[in-house]
Amino acid sequence: MCGIVGYIGHREAYPIIIKGLQRLEYRGYDSAGIALYDGNAIKLSKTKGKVSDLKNKIENEISTDGTLGIGHTRWATHGVPNDVNSHPHYSNSGDLVIIHNGIIENYDSLKKELIKRGYTFHSDTDTEVLVNLIEEVQKNDNLKLGKAVQVALNQVVGAYAIAVFDKNKPNEIVVAKLGSPLAIGIGDDEFFIASDASPFIEYTKNAIYLEDEEMAIIRRGKKIKVRKIKNDVLVDPYVQELQLNLEQIEKGGYDHFMLKEIYEQPSAILDTFRGRLLSNEGMIKLAGVEDNMKKFLAADRIIIVACGTSWHAGLVAEYIFEDLARIPVEVEYASEFRYRNPVITEKDIVIAISQSGETADTLAAIKLAKSKGAFVFGVCNVVGSTIARETDAGAYTHAGPEIGVASTKAFTTQITVLTLMALRLARAKGTMSSSEFRHHLIELETIPGKVEEALKSDAYVKTVAEIYKDSKNCLYLGRGFNFPVALEGALKLKEISYIHAEGYPAAEMKHGPIALIDEHMPVIVIATKMGHYDKVVSNIQEIKARKGKIIGIVTKGDTSVKELADHVIEVPETLECLTPLLTTIPLQLLSYHIAVMLEKNVDQPRNLAKSVTVE
Ligand code: M6R
């Protein structure tokens, strides 16, 4: 939920850290801070607000000299966002300084114990407890910093990615990880520390991703030492070559990352297909599925676990798997699944969907499913993420970095992977004839081009946004494959424009939400030609009879909805099961434009963070 950055080497640390924090701001952005060692002392500055506020403050407050430093951008867990609760945190002596992403669950009992021993606390954070615990261990047992961190962490329950240094030993930074990500970039006589590789991508392509329960002592000019926190065993870390490039993490001329990511969907879906959708050969190749085909074919059912937008992709997949492959599917909120003693057996397959691969609830649901013997398959975007590593097998979405907090290309590429899976299993199970299968492959291959076409509605969607931007409420309706798209459309509007929105299956409207409809209520209805078109048209009649404002998302060339609706936005025609990949596009654009018109922070909506690594 927070972003951490650190540097030790021969360059000035400040510009690297401040730029790195800006790149990690998607992880949390309610406060930020930095601590630099200038050769004599620690210079620390922190503030409530964004990294840009920190930058302004620092330039008037401290000198920015120094070749060692750490920085933090926060999403508050313990203690409100304010200057004092911002990271970094000093220990009582002022010798140690720490940044932390995660939660120390037993911080209260540790804090009481430390208070008894004379420690005082200035903030409400669990992190200040941790740095003082490290100091207490260090002083009591006369230990070096690395050893003290290790002993302290063995007393801690919770999750963390930390970086800590001691002003008396200014040539080393100690880092450790459990449950929150931590990457170490390895340059020439210099090291970079960050929650992901984006802060150091222009300096090095070599990185170590620490595993859970590992720590590293990073010394200037020395080889990194990685150890297991529990038993002190030295680990030979795997140095990975990064595929990420600078272009992928910059806005590339767009006003916002969200808009860039909406427009990247045609190429992102193509990347998801690459090497997998072989329509000429009439084949789908997904290594994770091929290698485990026996398990998939023997499965009694598939349980999908996910949160937020990924859960919506799971709902779309439920329709697709059941329709094409005739496999029973249940879709669960990971946060509910993990705590309700679900019935899971070895004959179940659990599919965990997560863009970030770090969502705490999804991770816990995976662990639970595995403990009950289920085979767990991951659909993740971030390569090497915790969920990607924790699952038995998986398929990456290959959408590229998604930086806007509101998921867009992650959603459509998740649906793409899940559709490929459903088709592959349908073929293997014989629930689809070979001609039907081929037809689906050929149509799927046209989707990137059709998304491109759907994006052409942008200017018109903007005019619709102008009309409805001041609405207080909004209803989204869809049926069948497009019911989850209605939920996703409503979530997009809520999270970036703060307008209350509800998604509903169109036919459920008459069981309650219809009471909300009057001349002030915009109702976005997904009414593509296939499926339950006539039924949805009847629902539109019902809205019109109550004076609701109707925005129809229709198939190109539609006439019936056009006669009834106040506005129609067309998408190209495709197979019914593929329509979510197209109907989603105008809904993303609509929420984007409304949020921009309302002057909201589109990429960093209030109270949210990109990866939710806490419960
Ligand atoms: O990284 P994940 O896919 O596991 O994240 C799940 C949700 O937190 C995420 O989809 C969230 O709902 C987005 N803000 C939606 O736009």
Side-chain angles (χ1 to χ4, degrees), residues 520-561:
H520 305 297
M521 176 67 105
V523 187
I524 291 104
V525 191
I526 305 162
T528 47
K529 233 188 215 163
M530 307 283 213
H532 316 282
Y533 180 73
D534 294 338
K535 309 273 177 210
V536 178
V537 172
S538 305
N539 297 141
I540 293 177
Q541 300 270 21
E542 291 156 11
I543 302 163
K544 197 166 173 68
R546 285 154 187 90
K547 299 196 173 64
K549 301 284 179 237
I550 300 155
I551 302 156
I553 311 296
V554 298
T555 309
K556 197 170 179 184
D558 178 281
T559 48
S560 310
V561 177

Side-chain angles (χ1 to χ4, degrees), residues 301-305 314 318 322 328-332 340 343:
R301 61 176 175 164
I302 290 175
I303 303 170
I304 296 179
V305 292
E318 177 180 21
E322 293 200 343
V329 177
E330 286 164 29
V331 189
E332 302 260 6
R340 67 166 179 74
V343 179

Side-chain angles (χ1 to χ4, degrees), residues 283-406:
M283 271 170 71
I284 284 174
K285 270 197 193 163
L286 279 166
V289 175
E290 297 313 325
D291 297 348
N292 298 287
M293 190 55 94
K294 267 195 189 151
K295 284 197 180 88
F296 274 102
L297 295 181
D300 280 346
R301 61 176 175 164
I302 290 175
I303 303 170
I304 296 179
V305 292
C307 302
T309 290
S310 297
W311 183 76
H312 296 155
L315 284 180
V316 176
E318 177 180 21
Y319 284 84
I320 298 178
F321 272 98
E322 293 200 343
D323 188 44
L324 304 183
R326 309 302 300 145
I327 306 175
V329 177
E330 286 164 29
V331 189
E332 302 260 6
Y333 281 119
S335 53
E336 286 298 311
F337 179 83
R338 62 180 291 193
Y339 284 123
R340 67 166 179 74
N341 194 16
V343 179
I344 315 167
T345 74
E346 285 155 20
K347 292 200 80 186
D348 290 323
I349 288 191
V350 171
I351 300 180
I353 310 174
S354 174
Q355 187 287 129
S356 61
E358 301 293 343
T359 302
D361 286 321
T362 309
L363 195 53
I366 291 168
K367 287 185 177 157
L368 175 69
K370 278 173 87 175
S371 74
K372 305 233 175 194
F375 172 77
V376 185
F377 190 94
V379 175
C380 294
N381 188 36
V382 176
V383 176
S385 55
T386 310
I387 292 178
R389 288 198 311 258
E390 279 287 326
T391 41
D392 297 306
Y396 284 117
T397 51
H398 295 306
E402 190 183 66
I403 294 166
V405 165

Side-chain angles (χ1 to χ4, degrees), residues 38-167:
D38 69 0
N40 289 310
I42 296 173
K43 300 281 168 62
L44 190 146
S45 179
K46 53 189 191 174
T47 183
K48 179 179 176 210
K50 306 237 177 238
V51 177
S52 54
D53 299 313
L54 175 70
K55 216 173 151 198
N56 292 337
K57 190 175 180 199
I58 284 180
E59 275 149 30
N60 302 315
E61 201 174 80
I62 60 170
S63 82
T64 57
D65 299 340
T67 54
L68 182 153
I70 54 179
H72 188 269
T73 176
R74 180 170 187 245
W75 186 87
T77 55
H78 290 72
V80 295
N82 62 22
D83 292 3
V84 178
N85 288 332
S86 310
H87 299 214
H89 288 283
Y90 277 122
S91 62
N92 270 197
S93 69
D95 287 351
L96 306 187
V97 65
I98 195 170
I99 48 172
H100 169 216
N101 168 29
I103 284 191
I104 307 301
E105 288 172 15
N106 60 337
Y107 83 102
D108 198 33
S109 55
L110 294 170
K111 188 172 181 175
K112 283 182 182 137
E113 194 50 43
L114 288 166
I115 290 171
K116 273 196 217 151
R117 295 183 194 190
Y119 282 82
T120 52
F121 291 89
H122 307 98
S123 76
D124 306 316
T125 66
D126 50 345
T127 307
E128 197 187 4
V129 175
L130 179 58
V131 72
N132 282 309
L133 178 65
I134 297 169
E135 177 156 293
E136 171 67 3
V137 171
Q138 192 186 27
K139 296 218 159 120
N140 255 358
D141 303 338
N142 197 18
L143 296 176
K144 287 186 175 164
L145 180 63
K147 194 71 198 164
V149 167
Q150 186 179 15
V151 173
L153 289 179
N154 275 311
Q155 297 175 38
V156 154
V157 179
Y160 49 79
I162 58 163
V164 53
F165 72 89
D166 180 342
K167 78 166 188 219

